C-alpha cells in the first residue's frame, strides 16, 4: 500500500510538528513520520527556556535577534505554553562586572530590552538569589513548555488535514534518478514496512538527520553535544536566572511549570552512541555545585531526576575542514547543495526558533512545488492559546488544567476524581489526552498531561492512568507491561540522584508496585514459574 | 524570608488523609496531603492556585501526628491561609479570635452577657448577623477574672513555699472558668510550690492563627515570650492548645524563636507526674472519692504526645475507674465549630466521640482542652472536667500539705 502526499516530514519534534503545521496551513497534503513519540528527542530534553536572546547577544547577534523576534511572536500565538516570567542575568562575586556593560549594549543592539538593576532590587524581585551578587540585568526571558507546544502544533496541523505516524521509522528513501520521492518506513510496533511517497521530503530529524541524509547518500555532519539537566522538586525561583558571563556550564535556572531546572553541561558524544547517553555522577555534581552558586538553596533542595539531551549541532558548510559548527538555523535545499532534488534538511536552530525554522523549510518546499501561499504561523494562535482568565475559580485540578491546556480546558469535565495528585491532574484530563491527543501509553500520557512528572514520579498516577488506558480498550497484559516500562523509565532519571527523599520515594514506589500490587519483575517471574 | 521547604519530605504515602477528621465528613476539603504539600508546590508556582477550601482545615494536627516523614502539614496549611488567602477576616472571626479583648469586656458585665448570649433572641441575632450558629452554647463568662482573684486572694502567700513555678492561665481560665486556676494553685501550694503569674500574659494566639490573624498572634507571642523569659522558671499550663501554641506554633507558624524557653513550658499534669515519680512531690488522696471517668485526648495534646501524663495522674487516684476513649477529634476545633457554616461538619466529626462517651456511661469526662469540654458538654450532656480539677476534687489537701511542707 502506498500513500501519496505533497510533503513528507521526518521527525516529530517541535521543528517537524511546526513544519507540518505550516505546510498544512498553506494547503499542502502533509504527512509526518516520527520514529518514537512526539517531542521525545531534543525538543523535550532541554530547559524549556523562552530565550530573550540575551544569552547569545554578545557572541551571536544574529541568533539573538532571531530569538527576541520569535519570543515576541510565541507570547502571542502560544500563550498557553508560556510563562512570562522575565529573567535576570546576575554577576556573582567571582564574575567580572565589566562584562555587564558589554552584555547590555549587545542586548540593546539586538533589540532586546535589558535593564540593569542594583543587587538589592534584584534580590527583592527574586529572593532565592545568592545574596552576594554584584549586579543584575533584567531581560524578557520566560518558560515555554516544549510538550504542549509540540502537541498544539500537531493538533493544528491535524485540523488542517495533516497525517501523523508515530513509532514509524524511516529505513530508506525512495530515489528516482536525481530526486527523492518519499521514504520507506517501518512500523516499529508491527515491524511492517511500507512506502510513503511525497513530492518533497523534509528532514527534520534533529540529531538523527545525519542518518537520514546518509540514506540519501548525502554527507551531513552533525556534532552531537550532550547536555545534562537536573529537575528540582518545586519552584525555587520565579524568574529565569542566568549568569552574566560568557555562556558556560550550569548557568541557567529555569522555573518550568511546577519545578525548577538547572542546566546544562556540554560534552561531545560519538554519533553512534546517541541512544545510550545518560547523565553521569560528575555532571550531577557539577550542576549542583555551580547551580548553588547562583541560588544557594539548590544545595538542599530535593532533586527529582536528571536527564540529558543531545544538541543537533551541524558542521559549517563554509569550512572545508568540516570542524567548525554552524551557528543558527541551517536549511539545505539538497537540490542546490547536492544535486539531489526533493529533499530539504532543516536543522541547527533551537526550540526558540522552531517556528522560524518551520517557516524557512516550508518556504523552500512551497517554492519547489510552485505554491505561493503566505506563512500564517506568526499571526494565528495555536489551539489552546488565549486568555488565562478564570484561573481563580473552581477545583484545583480544573485550574491546573486551565494553566496547562489554555482554552482547550473547556473540553474536560470540571468535576471528577483526581488522578495525579502531585500535578493536580483529573481523570477527565487524562481521558482527554487519550481520546483527543492520541496518547496510548503512560509515557505518551506523560508528555501530553504531566502525569509522572511530579514529586512522586509515577507512584500513584501510573496505576490510575493505566486503568484509564484499560478503560479505553488496552488489554490487561499491555497495561501491566506499560506500567513497568513507565516506572523503569522514571527510575532511569531518578537513579543518578538517588539519595535522600528521591531514594525513599523510589523505594516506597517499588514496595507499592512489587509488594502490594505484585507487579514487579520478580512477581511476574514467580507467576511464570507456577 | 527563605521559603520553608519541609513539604518536600512528603512521600505521598497518604496516611495523613486517613487521620483527617474533616475529609470524612466534607468532600469539599481536599485533605491534608492535597491542601498541604501538594498544594504548596502549586502555590509556589502561582499564588492563584490558593484553594479557598483550605478554610475547612481544623488545624487539629492529627495529620502531623500520623505523618511518618515529619511534615508539618497543619502548619503548612495555616501558613498558606495567612500568606495567600488575602481575604480579611470579618467581624465574627475577629470576635471569636480575640478571646482576650472579648473576654475582658464580657467579664465586666458577666451576668448580663451570660444571660443575653444564652437567650434565644440573642442566639438568633448572632446567627443571622454574625454567622455564629444558633445551636451552639456559648461558654459563660465569670464575673471575677482569675488574675484579679489571684492578686486579691492568693498572691501574698505564695512566697512561703519551698519552691515556685509560674502559671500561664490562658483566656479560658481567666474569663470563663477561674475555678480551674484556683484548683491548680491549691494543688501546687499543698505540694509545696508557690505560684506566680506572668508579668504580662496575652492570649496564646491559637484562635488568632486559626482565623488568619497571624500578625496579631505574633504580637501576643512576643509579649508572652518576654514574660516567660522574665519569669525564669518552669511555666505551667492547664490548656493543651495554649501549650502547643507556645511550644510549637511560635517557631513553626509564626517564625518566632523560642528555643531558650520552650522546654520550660509544660502542662501541669506532666509537671505533677514527673515530680511524683521523682519523689519530689507526694500526694495523698481522699478515701471516699469514687468516680467513673472517661478520658478524652484533645488533638493538640495528642500532637504534644502528653496525654499519658494526664492519664497517669488520673489513674493515681485510688477511687477512679478510668475509661480511656479512642482518640477522636471532638469536631469543635477551637473557634471553628462556632461558625454557622461549620456547625454541621463539626457535629458530624464529633459523633464518633459522642457515641464512645455515651457507651462508656461515665460520671463525667476528663480532658485537657476547654473547647473539647464545651463541645462534649453541649453534644452529650455529660459534664467535663480538666484533670487538674479532678485531682483537686480527690486530693486530701490536709495530708498532702503535711507531706510536702515541713
Amino acid at each position: 500500500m502506498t500513500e501519496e502526499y505533497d510533503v513528507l516530514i521526518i521527525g516529530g519534534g517541535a521543528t517537524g510538528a511546526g513544519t507540518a503545521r505550516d505546510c498544512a496551513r498553506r494547503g499542502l497534503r502533509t504527512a509526518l513520520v516520527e520514529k518514537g513519540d512526539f517531542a521525545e528527542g531534543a525538543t523535550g530534553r532541554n530547559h524549556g527556556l523562552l530565550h530573550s536572546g540575551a544569552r547569545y547577544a554578545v557572541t551571536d547577534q544574529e541568533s539573538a535577534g532571531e530569538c527576541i523576534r520569535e519570543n515576541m511572536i510565541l507570547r502571542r500565538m502560544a500563550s498557553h505554553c508560556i510563562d512570562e516570567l522575565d529573567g535576570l542575568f546576575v554577576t556573582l562575586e567571582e564574575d567580572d562586572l565589566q562584562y555587564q556593560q558589554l552584555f547590555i549594549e549587545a542586548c540593546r543592539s539586538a533589540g532586546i530590552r535589558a535593564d540593569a538593576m542594583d543587587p538589592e532590587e534584584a534580590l527583592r524581585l527574586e529572593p532565592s538569589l545568592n545574596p552576594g551578587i554584584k549586579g543584575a540585568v533584567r531581560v524578557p526571558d520566560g518558560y515555554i513548555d516544549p510538550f504542549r507546544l509540540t502537541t498544539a502544533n500537531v493538533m493544528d496541523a491535524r485540523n488542517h488535514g495533516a497525517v501523523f505516524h508515530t513509532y514509524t521509522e524511516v529505513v530508506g528513501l525512495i530515489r528516482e534518478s536525481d530526486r527523492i520521492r518519499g521514504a520507506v518506513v517501518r512500523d516499529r510496533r508491527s515491524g511492517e514496512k511500507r512506502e510513503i511517497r511525497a513530492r518533497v521530503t523534509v528532514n527534520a530529524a534533529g540529531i538523527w538527520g545525519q542518518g537520514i541524509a546518509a540514506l540519501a547518500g548525502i554527507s551531513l555532519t552533525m556534532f552531537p553535544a550532550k547536555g545534562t539537566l537536573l529537575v528540582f522538586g518545586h519552584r525555587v525561583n520565579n524568574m529565569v536566572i542566568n549568569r552574566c558571563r560568557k555562556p558556560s556550564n550550569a548557568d541557567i535556572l529555569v522555573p518550568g511549570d511546577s519545578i525548577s531546572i538547572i542546566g546544562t553541561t556540554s560534552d561531545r558524544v560519538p554519533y553512534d552512541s546517541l541512544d545510550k547517553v545518560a547523565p553521569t555522577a560528575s555532571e550531577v555534581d557539577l550542576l549542583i555545585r555551580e547551580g548553588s552558586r547562583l541560588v544557594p538553596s539548590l544545595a538542599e533542595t530535593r532533586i527529582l531526576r536528571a536527564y540529558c539531551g543531545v544538541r543537533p549541532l551541524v558542521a559549517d558548510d563554509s569550512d572545508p575542514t568540516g570542524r567548525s559548527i554552524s551557528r543558527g538555523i541551517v536549511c539545505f535545499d539538497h537540490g542546490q547543495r547536492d544535486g539531489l532534488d526533493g529533499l530539504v534538511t532543516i536543522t541547527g536552530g533551537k526550540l526558540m526558533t522552531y517556528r522560524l525554522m518551520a517557516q524557512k523549510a516550508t518556504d523552500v518546499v512551497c517554492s519547489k512545488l510552485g505554491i505561493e501561499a503566505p506563512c500564517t504561523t506568526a499571526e494565528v494562535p495555536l489551539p489552546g492559546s488565549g486568555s488565562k482568565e478564570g484561573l481563580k475559580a473552581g477545583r484545583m485540578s480544573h485550574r491546573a488544567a486551565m494553566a496547562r491546556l489554555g482554552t482547550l480546558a473547556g473540553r474536560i469535565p470540571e468535576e471528577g476524581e483526581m488522578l495525579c495528585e502531585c500535578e493536580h491532574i483529573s481523570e477527565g484530563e487524562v481521558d482527554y489526552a487519550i481520546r483527543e491527543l492520541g496518547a496510548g501509553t503512560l509515557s505518551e500520557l506523560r508528555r501530553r498531561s504531566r502525569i509522572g512528572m511530579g514529586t512522586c514520579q509515577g507512584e500513584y498516577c501510573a496505576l490510575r492512568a493505566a486503568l484509564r488506558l484499560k478503560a479505553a480498550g488496552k488489554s490487561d497484559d499491555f497495561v501491566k507491561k506499560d506500567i513497568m516500562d513507565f516506572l523503569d523509565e522514571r527510575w532511569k532519571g531518578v537513579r543518578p540522584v538517588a539519595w535522600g527523599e528521591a531514594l525513599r520515594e523510589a523505594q516506597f514506589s517499588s514496595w507499592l508496585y512489587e509488594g502490594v500490587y505484585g507487579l514487579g519483575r520478580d512477581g511476574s517471574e514467580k507467576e511464570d514459574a507456577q | 524570608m527563605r521559603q520553608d521547604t519541609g513539604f518536600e519530605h512528603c512521600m505521598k504515602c497518604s496516611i495523613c488523609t486517613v487521620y483527617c477528621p474533616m475529609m470524612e465528613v466534607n468532600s469539599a476539603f481536599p485533605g491534608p496531603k492535597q491542601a498541604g504539600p501538594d498544594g504548596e508546590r502549586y502555590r509556589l508556582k502561582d499564588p492563584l492556585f490558593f484553594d479557598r477550601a483550605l478554610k475547612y482545615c481544623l488545624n487539629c494536627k492529627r495529620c502531623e501526628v500520623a505523618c511518618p516523614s515529619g511534615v508539618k502539614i497543619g502548619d503548612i496549611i495555616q501558613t498558606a491561609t495567612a500568606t495567600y488567602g488575602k481575604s480579611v477576616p470579618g467581624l465574627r472571626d475577629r470576635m471569636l479570635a480575640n478571646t482576650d479583648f472579648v473576654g475582658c469586656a464580657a467579664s465586666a458585665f458577666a451576668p448580663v452577657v451570660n444571660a443575653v448570649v444564652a437567650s434565644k433572641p440573642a442566639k438568633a441575632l448572632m446567627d443571622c448577623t454574625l454567622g455564629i450558629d444558633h445551636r451552639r452554647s456559648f461558654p459563660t463568662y465569670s464575673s471575677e477574672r482569675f488574675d484579679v482573684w489571684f492578686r486579691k486572694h492568693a498572691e501574698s502567700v505564695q512566697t512561703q513555699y519551698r519552691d515556685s513555678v509560674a502559671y500561664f492561665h490562658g483566656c479560658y481560665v481567666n474569663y470563663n472558668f477561674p475555678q480551674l486556676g484556683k484548683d491548680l494553685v491549691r494543688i501546687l501550694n499543698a505540694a509545696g510550690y508557690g505560684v506566680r503569674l506572668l508579668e504580662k500574659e496575652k492570649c496564646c494566639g491559637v484562635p488568632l492563627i486559626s482565623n488568619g490573624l497571624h500578625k496579631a498572634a505574633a504580637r501576643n507571642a512576643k509579649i508572652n515570650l518576654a514574660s516567660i523569659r522574665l519569669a525564669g522558671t518552669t511555666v505551667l499550663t492547664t490548656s493543651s492548645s495554649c501549650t502547643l501554641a507556645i511550644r510549637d506554633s511560635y517557631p513553626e507558624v509564626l517564625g518566632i524563636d523560642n528555643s531558650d524557653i520552650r522546654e520550660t513550658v509544660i502542662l501541669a499534669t506532666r509537671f505533677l507526674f514527673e515530680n511524683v515519680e521523682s519523689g519530689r512531690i507526694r500526694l495523698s488522696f481522699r478515701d471516699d472519692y469514687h468516680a467513673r471517668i472517661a478520658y478524652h485526648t484533645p488533638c493538640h495534646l495528642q500532637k504534644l504526645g502528653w496525654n499519658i501524663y494526664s492519664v497517669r495522674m488520673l489513674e493515681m487516684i485510688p477511687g477512679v475507674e478510668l475509661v480511656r476513649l479512642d482518640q477522636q477529634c471532638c469536631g469543635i476545633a477551637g473557634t471553628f465549630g462556632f461558625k454557622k457554616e461549620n456547625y454541621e461538619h463539626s457535629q458530624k466529626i464529633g459523633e464518633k466521640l459522642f457515641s464512645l462517651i455515651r457507651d462508656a456511661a461515665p460520671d463525667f469526662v476528663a480532658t485537657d482542652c476547654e473547647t473539647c469540654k464545651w463541645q462534649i458538654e453541649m453534644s452529650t450532656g455529660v459534664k467535663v472536667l480538666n484533670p487538674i480539677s479532678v485531682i483537686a476534687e480527690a486530693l486530701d489537701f490536709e495530708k498532702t500539705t503535711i507531706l510536702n511542707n515541713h
Side-chain angles (χ1 to χ4, degrees), chain A residues 1-10 28-33 163 165 170 172-177 179-185 194-202 342 369:
Chain A
M1 197 188 82
T2 331
E3 301 164 54
E4 180 94 45
Y5 297 95
D6 292 327
V7 59
L8 170 67
I9 297 149
I10 303 169
L28 307 186
R29 289 173 303 140
T30 306
L32 181 147
V33 289
V163 174
H165 302 288
V170 171
L173 293 172
I174 305 166
R175 186 169 182 160
E176 287 175 1
S177 65
R179 287 189 76 83
I180 296 296
R181 298 301 307 256
V184 183
V185 300
R194 68 181 195 280
E195 284 189 351
I196 299 179
R197 297 184 72 87
R199 294 162 72 194
V200 182
T201 300
V202 177
L369 297 174

Side-chain angles (χ1 to χ4, degrees), chain B residues 66-134:
Chain B
C67 179
S69 304
V71 180
K72 300 279 191 307
I73 308 165
D75 291 350
I76 292 171
I77 297 173
Q78 295 304 312
T79 306
T81 309
T83 313
Y84 303 104
K86 303 285 179 209
S87 69
V88 181
L91 176 63
R92 182 217 35 205
D93 290 4
R94 283 178 186 277
M95 272 183 65
L96 289 172
N98 283 285
T99 48
D100 250 345
F101 175 76
V102 174
C104 251
S107 287
F109 309 98
V112 183
V113 171
N114 291 339
V116 168
V117 297
S119 72
K120 273 198 174 161
K123 283 188 168 187
L125 189 70
M126 289 198 296
D127 189 299
C128 65
T129 57
L130 289 173
I132 292 171
D133 198 277
H134 65 277

Side-chain angles (χ1 to χ4, degrees), chain A residues 408-424:
Chain A
L408 295 173
R411 296 203 195 174
I412 61 170
E414 274 190 44
E415 300 294 314
E417 290 293 308
M418 187 81 91
L419 187 142
C420 159
E421 298 171 36
C422 305
E423 299 294 327
H424 307 273

Side-chain angles (χ1 to χ4, degrees), chain A residues 302 399 421 423 460 501, chain B residues 8-9 12 33 42 50:
Chain A
R302 177 169 174 178
R399 285 146 71 182
E421 298 171 36
E423 299 294 327
Y460 287 109
E501 310 300 7
Chain B
E8 290 204 308
H9 302 304
K12 316 280 160 188
K33 184 165 97 65
Y42 266 62
F50 173 74

Side-chain angles (χ1 to χ4, degrees), chain A residues 233-235 257-259 302 392 396 399 404 418 421-424 455 459-460 501 504-505, chain B residues 2 5 7-14 33-34 38 41-42 44-46 48-51 69:
Chain A
H234 64 275
R235 268 203 191 182
D257 211 293
S258 55
I259 43 114
R302 177 169 174 178
K392 273 186 221 171
M396 250 321 251
R399 285 146 71 182
R404 281 188 286 267
M418 187 81 91
E421 298 171 36
C422 305
E423 299 294 327
H424 307 273
T455 327
E459 189 171 287
Y460 287 109
E501 310 300 7
R504 274 185 82 210
E505 190 91 60
Chain B
R2 173 78 67 83
T5 55
F7 66 90
E8 290 204 308
H9 302 304
C10 173
M11 287 293 118
K12 316 280 160 188
C13 73
S14 304
K33 184 165 97 65
Q34 276 289 299
D38 286 350
R41 286 180 75 234
Y42 266 62
L44 286 175
K45 166 178 154 167
D46 190 335
L48 284 179
F49 283 108
F50 173 74
D51 189 344
S69 304

